Every structure is written in C-alpha cells, then in structure tokens.
Amino acid sequence: MANTMLDMHAYVAQRLISLLELISRRQQKLANRTTPDGTVYEDMLLLVLEIINSVLTHRLKNNIQLVYALLLKREIFVPLRSHPRLADLVKNIEQAIDHFSARLSEANIKAPSTNEILELLEQSARTWVPSRMESLPDLKFQYEEEQDSREFFVPYVWALVHRRTFIYWSDEKAHILEEYRQISGEAETHPPEESPTATMTTSSSSKSQHQQ
C-alpha cells in the first residue's frame, strides 16, 4: 500500500517519523544486549524504514509532507547508517533528504515559514528523478494460516450471521454458536426460566357400606 500512497497528511507524516524515532531509540538501547526485545525492535525499525523508502521511491512528488517531516528529523538516521540490515534503506532515504536539503540551502531564504518551505519542496519535487534512489525489492507480506484456523473462523462467521440477520435461530439447536462462545470466552447470561410445577392432588372417596 505504501507505493500507492497519495497526499499524506502532515499529522500522519509527523507521527510516522516520531514512531521511527521512538523505535530507533529503544533499539539502540538494546543493541549491545542479546534479548528477544532487541530483535523485535530491529524488525519494527526495518518495517518502518521500508514503508518510508517505498513511499519516496514510488510517490515522492505526491507526499511532500513526508519529505518535510524527514528534513526536520534527519539526524535520527545518523546512528542507523552502520547497521547491516538497515544501511541500504537509510542510504536511499538520505539520498532524498540530501537532495531537498540542498535545494533549500540554494534558495537562501532567511527564517522561512512552513508554507514557504513546502512551496520550495513542491517546486524541487518537479525536477526530482526517482532513479537517484536505488531500486530495492518491494515490501511484501505473506499471510500464514494455522491448520486449525477453521475451529475459530467457522463458528465466528456463523455468530456474525446470527447477530446481523433477521433469521430466527433456535439457541437450543444452534450448537455452533455455543462453540464460538466457548472459544471467545463470551459469557451470555440468560434469565433463569421458571419451571412450572404441577401439583397433583388425588382425591379418593371410599364408600364403605356396613351391613349388619
């Protein structure tokens, strides 16, 4: 999806770079330790960098707010340059940062406003050549399904049908719904039904005739 993203909002761009900065700091703290958390943060860092790289490679001209956010936080890439898994991505991203930073320096505007900077970035983007960045493999994900996934999904789908449709279902006969409740831990309390008690009264009349 990153390679088709258009007109990223300023808030989204800032939050994306803030997330990158946060993960980078935590990964650096755990860099010299052999812990599972360190590997997790490294994988997350790689994922965010791949997203940014994909946007810049395919849709830079349509995402100037991301370029602006990168320029504001360009220092966060310095400690990542020597990382073996991240070096290629960081180098690619810094190609774009260096290009637009040079264009801003050439403009020589003193104390520019945000709007002036964005306008300069848009003008510079018109002459941007995507081939400046190295072509890296596109970001891809693979869905892996567990062998017993149907044990959850089948009751779940039927539970949705039960809730969202106007078809009458007998709870006593719809056993698959009970399976879903057990899997999801859903506790449905039903008011106790009053069981009618039948009082049987027996009356017996006995007539005894005494003959003397």
Side-chain angles (χ1 to χ4, degrees):
M1 186 176 67
N3 57 7
T4 60
M5 189 175 297
L6 300 175
D7 300 325
M8 182 184 296
H9 193 274
Y11 179 77
V12 176
Q14 293 169 9
R15 296 303 296 172
L16 180 62
I17 303 305
S18 296
L19 175 63
L20 175 65
E21 184 178 20
L22 175 63
I23 299 173
S24 177
R25 288 178 179 176
R26 294 187 178 181
Q27 188 273 334
Q28 291 172 38
K29 289 181 180 179
L30 301 173
N32 298 326
R33 306 176 189 176
T34 307
T35 61
D37 289 343
T39 304
V40 171
Y41 282 117
E42 185 177 312
D43 291 340
M44 292 174 62
L45 192 58
L46 180 65
L47 176 61
V48 177
L49 287 173
E50 286 182 336
I51 292 173
I52 295 173
N53 179 74
S54 182
V55 175
L56 296 179
T57 301
H58 300 282
R59 299 292 179 179
L60 184 147
K61 296 180 180 180
N62 303 104
N63 292 284
I64 299 301
Q65 290 289 352
L66 178 60
V67 176
Y68 179 59
L70 288 169
L71 289 171
L72 293 177
K73 293 287 187 176
R74 60 181 305 174
E75 69 279 356
I76 66 178
F77 295 97
V78 175
L80 304 178
R81 293 172 182 170
S82 58
H83 196 291
R85 292 183 65 192
L86 311 176
D88 291 340
L89 289 167
V90 172
K91 180 181 178 181
N92 241 16
I93 295 171
E94 287 191 321
Q95 286 281 356
I97 293 175
D98 293 341
H99 171 81
F100 287 96
S101 179
R103 301 291 82 78
L104 292 176
S105 298
E106 292 172 0
N108 195 24
I109 301 177
K110 296 181 179 179
S113 65
T114 300
N115 290 333
E116 290 175 333
I117 294 176
L118 289 172
E119 185 177 351
L120 282 172
L121 293 177
E122 289 180 358
Q123 293 175 0
S124 301
R126 297 171 187 170
T127 59
W128 166 257
V129 181
S131 59
R132 291 175 180 268
M133 301 179 68
E134 183 180 353
S135 179
L136 299 177
D138 290 333
L139 187 62
K140 294 182 179 180
F141 297 93
Q142 183 176 359
Y143 172 72
E144 183 176 350
E145 184 174 314
E146 297 180 358
Q147 294 182 354
D148 56 350
S149 60
R150 66 178 303 277
E151 294 182 4
F152 169 79
F153 283 108
V154 172
Y156 175 70
V157 171
W158 279 111
L160 291 179
V161 174
H162 174 256
R163 292 176 180 177
R164 305 297 181 183
T165 61
F166 296 97
I167 304 174
Y168 171 74
W169 295 78
S170 173
D171 290 339
E172 296 179 356
K173 297 181 179 180
H175 301 295
I176 198 167
L177 299 178
E178 183 62 30
E179 293 179 11
Y180 170 71
R181 296 188 187 105
Q182 293 175 359
I183 294 173
S184 62
E186 179 180 319
E188 293 187 6
T189 57
H190 299 280
E193 297 181 356
E194 296 182 358
S195 56
T197 57
T199 304
M200 298 181 63
T201 58
T202 58
S203 61
S204 61
S205 61
S206 60
K207 294 182 180 180
S208 60
Q209 294 180 356
H210 299 281
Q211 294 180 355
Q212 293 181 351

